[in-house]
Amino acid sequence: QLKDNTIVIVFGASGDLAKKKTYPALFGLYRNGYLPKDIHIVGYARTKMDDAEYHKRTTGYIKNPDNDPEVTAKIEEFKKLSTYVSGGYEDAPSFQNLTKHLESIEANYKGGDVNRIFYLALPPSVFVPVGKHVRDNCYSSKGVNRIIIEKPFGKDLDSCRELLSSLKQSWTEDETFRIDHYLGKEMVKNILVLRFANVAMGSAWDKNSVSNVQITFKEPFGTEGRGGYFDEFGMIRDVLQNHLLQVLSILTMERPVSFASEDIRDEKVKVLRCIPPIERKDTLLGQYVAANGKPGYLDDDTVPKDSVCPTFAATTLWINNERWEGVPFILKAGKALNEAKVEIRVQFKDVAQGIFKDVSRNELVMRIQPSEAVYLKMNTKTPGLNFRAIPTEMDLTYKRRFTDTKIPEAYEALILDALKGDHSNFVRDDELDVAWKIFTPILHWIDGKDGPRPKPAPYPYGSRGPKELDAYIAKLGYKRSAEEYSWPTTSMS
Ligand code: BG6
């Protein structure tokens, strides 16, 4: 962990990502004493604003629902260590000016190294010039320099390679921290422990026991104002190619030699390399339409009227290795659905027929959000004078089991890792390369590069997705519970 003499410089300080995620996470770390003692934060963006306006923007999303005076006091302290510089993203003098500001803060250091952590909360169009200008003009000559960047890392294999190689001219892999914020989520980090610290789990983790796996992302709201960005990227690039694929790789990789970041990432890359490019026939696309008083995707003013951009996508990945051959991994994600939920659902095979017929399959569910939980659906004898098996669950709901623990925000965990120099939960260059190899052909088809663009199936705002979805999943072997099964409502609270 970097100790003293550290400045975090947030580029894009007036933007959405910075105010909603980066600053609240920095504050969370500060409040809990995780930041270096004399940390400074410097915001940088094009917008001209005074310190008061800067502080208003960067603390506006910090949660303090009960107006706790202790939190209010901490926010005031936090403001004092945070200053702002405005400037362009493409001209050297602006960056030299920023360096002068950094040096004026560093002039108060009592000797030792000078560490600078550059956080690029920026649109992809300026990643490369900012990366270069920072390296040329703002690099600390004694101490640690790190650069944190956020997706999108390109739009396909070629553009990703181009972006990576441009940035590599200025920054080494060791200095680079590519965020996929799903890797900072508690339940995603828990997969490693669940799998490798439990013999019972580990031995059922292959094609002999598992029938199919679903990794599902559902959001109950549409693009609402973000249509401009979204329409250029679509659901697959926004969520499947990064967040869900990251989850899949940890779920399916072999046991790493150690917890060292390169050992973990080596295993992730290895399993991803066993996945052939996705096929069109394995892909179901959807786009939401107006329903229940809510607007359709095409009603969003920031979206072109004839857009065929998918706001829902389900697709199946196959892993051609000894462990997983023949097991479908269904990734599905959608906006404007009926609920907010991200979960992994591992469905096991049927038990041997004979003494039991039509009993439900075991399912292991890891709920990433909301309300983290792990539960195993299993059959139990109906209590009483009855021998029938009924589906029940073994339930580990975090809120009940870990009552005193506050689960950190994904960004808090990741920024802390970057300060420590731990790359385990960041995306390595070759991981990105192989991820794009899997998705690029299907994306080019959707983009209309090989012919007419496919039309997504419409689904009503607030529904479960396109009506074709149930048949799609059933065809891949997913079986609903034999009995009507519903999660007891008390478990959710
Ligand atoms: C982002 C996507 O990466 O992840 C958004 O661009 C999406 O479209 C978001 O809403 C979801 O993140 P979370 O942490 O709210 O699940």
Side-chain angles (χ1 to χ4, degrees), residues 455-474:
K455 281 229 156 24
Y459 61 95
Y461 195 122
S463 67
R464 290 178 52 237
K467 59 181 184 325
E468 294 82 354
L469 181 62
D470 282 343
Y472 173 91
I473 297 168

Side-chain angles (χ1 to χ4, degrees), residues 87-362:
Y89 291 136
E90 317 240 3
D91 63 299
S94 289
F95 290 85
Q96 287 151 7
N97 184 41
L98 169 64
T99 300
K100 274 196 205 121
H101 182 72
L102 301 180
E103 284 166 355
S104 72
I105 297 170
E106 290 158 356
N108 299 318
Y109 290 171
K110 293 173 194 74
D113 284 349
V114 172
N115 306 314
R116 296 177 182 165
I117 310 294
F118 303 98
Y119 190 119
L120 272 53
L122 290 171
S125 54
V126 289
F127 282 173
V128 172
V130 173
K132 182 172 168 19
H133 282 302
V134 170
R135 179 66 184 81
D136 293 348
N137 300 292
C138 311
Y139 198 84
S140 161
S141 54
K142 49 177 183 121
V144 168
N145 291 274
R146 290 183 186 140
I147 185 164
I148 305 177
I149 52 173
E150 292 262 352
K151 78 169 173 82
F153 305 119
K155 292 184 78 179
D156 59 7
L157 183 60
D158 287 346
S159 52
C160 172
R161 284 186 174 166
E162 214 178 291
L163 173 70
L164 254 48
S165 72
S166 303
L167 285 166
K168 271 174 191 294
Q169 288 170 12
S170 309
W171 297 90
T172 65
E173 188 63 21
D174 200 44
E175 289 170 331
T176 308
F177 291 75
R178 296 181 200 90
I179 286 196
D180 181 312
H181 77 284
Y182 267 60
L183 293 177
K185 293 196 185 255
E186 184 67 27
M187 191 53 70
V188 176
K189 294 203 210 172
N190 189 25
I191 300 171
L192 267 185
V193 181
L194 280 177
R195 285 194 57 199
F196 298 116
N198 294 297
V199 172
M201 200 79 87
S203 53
W205 213 252
D206 61 21
K207 65 182 180 195
N208 299 318
S209 303
V210 174
S211 162
N212 59 80
V213 177
Q214 295 178 60
I215 305 176
T216 307
F217 169 102
K218 296 170 88 176
E219 271 183 348
F221 44 83
T223 46
E224 277 124 60
R226 258 179 103 226
Y229 153 80
F230 190 86
D231 203 74
E232 208 189 307
F233 287 86
M235 205 63 213
I236 294 185
R237 287 188 180 94
D238 196 41
V239 170
L240 272 78
Q241 182 270 348
N242 32 68
H243 304 328
L244 301 195
L245 191 70
Q246 283 293 336
V247 171
L248 176 127
S249 65
I250 305 172
L251 197 71
T252 56
M253 70 183 202
E254 296 300 316
R255 172 186 286 267
V257 177
S258 79
F259 273 130
S261 55
E262 298 322 317
D263 285 339
I264 293 174
R265 299 194 299 179
D266 283 349
E267 293 303 336
K268 286 168 71 187
V269 171
K270 225 192 273 172
V271 73
L272 290 177
R273 287 179 58 203
C274 297
I275 303 176
I278 294 163
E279 304 225 12
R280 295 177 191 188
K281 66 171 176 46
D282 282 337
T283 305
L284 171 65
L285 304 174
Q287 189 184 78
Y288 64 92
V289 295
N292 311 316
K294 297 282 195 177
Y297 178 65
L298 299 182
D299 300 325
D300 185 330
D301 286 342
T302 50
V303 165
K305 287 292 155 248
D306 55 351
S307 171
V308 285
C309 171
T311 59
F312 175 97
T315 192
T316 306
L317 275 62
W318 304 90
I319 304 177
N320 292 335
N321 67 11
E322 229 175 340
R323 182 187 287 275
W324 294 117
E325 189 172 47
V327 179
F329 288 84
I330 305 162
L331 308 190
K332 50 192 188 5
K335 299 231 167 229
L337 295 179
N338 59 332
E339 60 183 339
K341 189 153 80 182
V342 182
E343 66 170 31
I344 304 164
R345 186 172 293 265
V346 179
Q347 186 174 64
F348 293 91
K349 291 190 167 172
D350 287 322
V351 283
Q353 296 296 298
I355 56 169
F356 290 113
K357 285 202 177 47
D358 294 331
V359 291
S360 299
R361 288 177 162 184
N362 290 141

